[in-house]
Amino acid sequence: MKHQKLQAVFLAHRDALLRFLSARGAGDNAEDILQDLWLKLSDVDDSNIASPLPYLYRAANNAMHDRYRKDERARQRDNEWSDISRGTGEASDLPLPDRALIANQQLAAVEERLGQEGPRVFRVFRRFRIDGIGQRQIAEEIGISLSAVEKDLQKAYRALVEWQDGEDT
């Protein structure tokens, strides 16, 4: 008869324990906390408990605090995950090392391929696509016609398509 005394006191004071939890801030969780406490009591040997009622109040208070801490950790974990998935958290924007290595190798290959078209084609492409400078301004900077800038960009695009086709095979 190891649990009868504690369970009998629990059942006799269940409503008071529920009011206690509600008054201490458990709110809507009071019933759930009390149910958790009842389940925990099934594993307790009450033969050494001299004062069951104070024991139950202390256990109810501890169960409420445990629930609060668990909920707070879950809320914090969800917020951190939400921050990371929105890009505002601790996650790095840097690519993984292997991807960074591959990207750097591809960039070098693209620059080499564009360089084969001549330094002017490479410069025009870089100023237009990387620096975001308009074609007319590039033409003025280099001292060539707008048509020449357009032709250089076409050469660069063809070279990139050829490079990409070579990468796909």
Side-chain angles (χ1 to χ4, degrees), residues 18 21-31 33 64:
L18 188 60
L21 289 171
S22 294
R24 302 275 296 159
D28 294 338
N29 292 324
E31 281 284 348
I33 294 169
M64 181 183 67

Side-chain angles (χ1 to χ4, degrees), residues 35-94:
Q35 179 64 29
D36 291 345
L37 180 59
W38 175 258
L39 294 173
K40 287 180 184 179
L41 292 177
S42 66
D43 293 333
V44 174
D45 180 6
D46 63 2
S47 61
N48 294 327
I49 299 174
S51 303
L53 189 57
Y55 176 87
L56 286 172
Y57 276 99
R58 189 173 57 248
N61 192 53
N62 290 344
M64 181 183 67
H65 286 293
D66 289 346
R67 171 69 70 99
Y68 174 77
R69 283 190 293 271
K70 183 184 97 182
D71 289 349
E72 192 59 32
R73 281 192 305 269
R75 206 172 5 264
Q76 183 179 3
R77 186 177 53 247
D78 290 346
N79 287 340
E80 288 171 0
W81 173 250
S82 179
D83 288 347
I84 289 171
S85 65
R86 283 192 314 250
T88 60
E90 297 290 323
S92 173
D93 290 335
L94 297 174

Side-chain angles (χ1 to χ4, degrees), residues 70-133:
K70 183 184 97 182
D71 289 349
E72 192 59 32
R73 281 192 305 269
R75 206 172 5 264
Q76 183 179 3
R77 186 177 53 247
D78 290 346
N79 287 340
E80 288 171 0
W81 173 250
S82 179
D83 288 347
I84 289 171
S85 65
R86 283 192 314 250
T88 60
E90 297 290 323
S92 173
D93 290 335
L94 297 174
L96 296 173
D98 57 336
R99 289 185 181 173
L101 178 65
I102 292 168
N104 285 333
Q105 290 171 343
Q106 288 178 333
L107 178 61
V110 165
E111 287 178 344
E112 180 184 339
R113 180 62 186 95
L114 288 175
Q116 292 172 3
E117 297 299 317
R120 190 178 84 186
V121 171
F122 183 77
R123 181 177 176 195
V124 167
F125 178 80
R126 183 170 199 84
R127 294 293 285 154
F128 183 69
R129 295 298 294 186
I130 307 298
D131 299 337
I133 306 298

Side-chain angles (χ1 to χ4, degrees), residues 10 13-22 34 56-57 60:
F10 179 90
H13 294 90
R14 184 185 186 292
D15 290 339
L17 287 166
L18 188 60
R19 284 191 304 275
F20 169 78
L21 289 171
S22 294
L34 211 52
L56 286 172
Y57 276 99

